[in-house]
Amino acid sequence: MRPHLDEVADDMIQEIQTRVSEYDRPGDGSYSGTLRLAVERVLHFFVDRVADPGHDSAPVADFFRAIGRGEAGEGRSLDAMQTAMRVGGMVAWRRLTEGADVLHVSPRTLGAVGEVLMQFQDELAHAAAEGYSQARAAVAGEMQRRRKRLLDLLFADPPAAREAIADLAAAAHWPVPRTVAAVALGRPRDARRPAFPPDVLADLTRRTPSLIVPDPDGPGRAKLIDRALAGTLAVIGPTVPLMEAARSIQWARKTLCLVQRGVIDADGDQSGQSGQNDQSGQSGVIRCVEHMSTLILFQDEGLITSLAELRLAPLSHLRPSQQDRLAETLLAWLQSGRNANEVAMRLHVHPQTVRYRLRQLEELFGDQLLDPDLRFDLEIVLRARALLAENAGERIVPSPHAAVGDSGEVVTFHRT
């Protein structure tokens, strides 16, 4: 076979260029040279394999891995290359059968050579596919790294320069939107990874897995995101301009913490009776904008606690169960426009019981209940107290050994 390899190479190249349009580039001398080099290498290695079944084909396999990587780098599929290999194999087999007939080669020998041809073809196709997959994975990994870096820039506080974000967005193939919403995810119990739309930036490796959703208020976007997040505990921050993404993720993380504590119910009901501190198994989509008043209340819990120490001091000498009943009654009274009958309906108790409790509150708080500013303060701390007690199983109660007396000393509160 060796004396005829140049002729076979010419036949193969002509047939490939005729039948595979991607390889027919008359004006591209470098490409034609690469095609000839590939064909000649394949033919020489094939003949070496026939001569010595143990011949090392690693170099030609590496060569085809490089071809596969090159095709991936150019953004092409392997279809054209695989077709060219089949065409080349067909030409090789045609020349083999012609030569075998002239030389009176036995069918057994011809069959053995044909088997080597098929094995060799399969090995080269596998090597090309392997190189192609490696290159695609590398490209995908690099793209993912760019997107994670872009998410870091958008979450930076203060934000990165707009030009830097635009450049990295272009490199990450991410169309820059006008508005975004950040999403903070709870860690799922299983290893299932949610599938997100391609325009969503995601980094599930962060301490708090996070997303950036572009144009979240666009038509159909809410349903699309809800479907993608189904079965996952997810908090969607407020919609903000692109350069304010850090603010959106800050609110989303704060809300997620309150959900995990039970202050905000995962089903969106702030008055639920979960009473559990471990919320790791929750799932559901929560939107910050539906819980803004709760977020304001818990933005600075130290401040709320200090205000509670001041305003709820008159309850400090009571037993915890008495404190709970009177605090519940006082909150309902403030929320219902100071109507005793409505308080009774809210609390499902007899109106006479409510009036008795209200007289106790008047004795304890005195003129404070007549001051609208102080009533406002009381409603704030009582709402926070109720949320902690009802949902998170936490209670802000006065310390039994301290209270605000006539001299104005400050009561000490603690949480249980």
Side-chain angles (χ1 to χ4, degrees):
M1 292 187 283
R2 292 191 190 278
H4 305 283
L5 290 183
D6 289 342
E7 296 176 30
V8 176
D10 291 339
D11 287 352
M12 279 189 179
I13 292 169
Q14 182 178 353
E15 192 77 17
I16 288 170
Q17 290 178 331
T18 300
R19 301 185 59 170
V20 186
S21 58
E22 289 84 348
Y23 287 84
D24 186 18
R25 302 186 185 182
D28 192 342
S30 63
Y31 194 84
S32 299
T34 301
L35 176 60
R36 175 166 291 277
L37 176 63
V39 169
E40 289 179 350
R41 280 197 180 188
V42 169
L43 289 173
H44 282 281
F45 271 101
F46 169 65
V47 173
D48 290 340
R49 172 72 71 85
V50 173
D52 177 12
H55 183 75
D56 182 17
S57 60
V60 74
D62 291 341
F63 180 72
F64 269 77
R65 284 190 192 92
I67 291 177
R69 288 193 293 269
E71 293 295 287
E74 293 293 329
R76 295 188 292 264
S77 72
L78 287 179
D79 293 347
M81 193 208 71
Q82 290 170 341
T83 301
M85 289 181 67
R86 287 193 294 271
V87 171
M90 179 189 66
V91 172
W93 180 245
R94 182 194 307 146
R95 294 298 298 262
L96 281 169
T97 55
E98 291 173 355
D101 185 54
V102 172
L103 298 173
H104 305 292
V105 175
S106 69
R108 182 171 182 174
T109 300
L110 182 61
V113 174
E115 184 176 352
V116 173
L117 175 63
M118 288 186 289
Q119 289 176 346
F120 192 56
Q121 223 176 346
D122 185 64
E123 289 174 16
L124 300 185
H126 178 76
E130 189 175 52
Y132 187 85
S133 298
Q134 290 171 349
R136 289 290 298 271
V139 169
E142 178 60 26
M143 197 62 64
Q144 185 61 28
R145 283 189 291 273
R146 291 175 184 172
R147 288 188 160 221
K148 287 183 178 181
R149 175 60 181 152
L150 178 58
L151 190 138
D152 290 339
L153 289 186
L154 290 169
F155 284 166
D157 188 16
R162 187 180 294 272
E163 295 76 11
I165 289 174
D167 290 345
L168 189 52
H173 296 174
W174 190 67
V176 176
R178 186 178 60 86
T179 61
V180 296
V183 182
L185 303 178
R187 293 197 176 275
R189 287 182 173 180
D190 55 33
R192 186 183 69 88
R193 295 174 66 90
F196 304 113
D199 62 346
V200 171
L201 296 180
D203 185 357
L204 304 185
T205 64
R206 302 172 73 93
R207 184 171 61 180
T208 301
S210 305
L211 314 173
I212 286 183
V213 179
D215 298 321
D217 300 329
R221 295 291 286 175
K223 290 183 178 179
L224 180 67
I225 298 304
D226 285 352
R227 283 197 300 270
L229 296 172
T232 303
L233 175 58
V235 176
I236 302 177
T239 299
V240 295
L242 177 68
M243 301 305 293
E244 297 180 25
R247 178 163 63 90
S248 185
I249 192 62
Q250 287 167 5
W251 283 108
R253 288 171 183 159
K254 179 66 176 177
T255 305
L256 178 63
C257 288
L258 294 177
V259 172
Q260 291 171 330
R261 283 174 58 189
V263 175
I264 294 175
D265 192 78
D267 295 327
D269 179 8
Q270 297 183 30
S271 60
Q273 302 293 327
S274 63
Q276 297 178 355
N277 289 316
D278 180 11
Q279 303 294 324
S280 60
Q282 288 181 338
S283 63
V285 178
I286 297 109
R287 287 173 166 78
C288 285
V289 293
E290 297 172 2
H291 302 277
M292 296 302 284
S293 60
T294 302
L295 287 168
I296 292 171
L297 278 178
F298 288 88
Q299 178 64 11
D300 188 334
E301 294 190 47
L303 193 59
I304 282 289
T305 300
S306 296
L307 184 61
E309 290 173 355
L310 185 64
R311 297 296 177 233
L312 299 184
L315 303 178
S316 61
H317 66 283
L318 302 176
R319 294 191 306 274
S321 59
Q322 291 177 301
Q323 293 175 19
D324 289 343
R325 285 195 297 272
L326 290 179
E328 179 185 49
T329 302
L330 181 55
L331 177 59
W333 181 72
L334 292 168
Q335 291 176 326
S336 60
R338 294 172 285 168
N339 184 305
N341 290 326
E342 187 173 338
V343 173
M345 288 189 291
R346 277 175 177 252
L347 301 183
H348 305 290
V349 297
H350 196 277
Q352 192 62 34
T353 302
V354 172
R355 293 188 182 94
Y356 171 71
R357 293 180 187 175
L358 290 175
R359 284 195 295 271
Q360 287 182 289
L361 289 167
E362 287 173 0
E363 292 175 3
L364 291 167
F365 287 89
D367 292 343
Q368 293 184 55
L369 300 183
L370 302 178
D371 187 322
D373 291 335
L374 294 180
R375 288 201 304 268
F376 180 73
D377 286 356
L378 282 169
E379 185 167 356
I380 289 175
V381 297
L382 289 169
R383 280 177 178 269
R385 187 182 193 276
L387 285 170
L388 284 171
E390 293 172 358
N391 293 346
E394 302 176 23
R395 299 173 73 231
I396 299 179
V397 297
S399 174
H401 59 270
V404 173
D406 294 336
S407 62
E409 73 233 279
V410 178
V411 68
T412 301
F413 274 59
H414 66 279
R415 232 176 239 162
T416 63

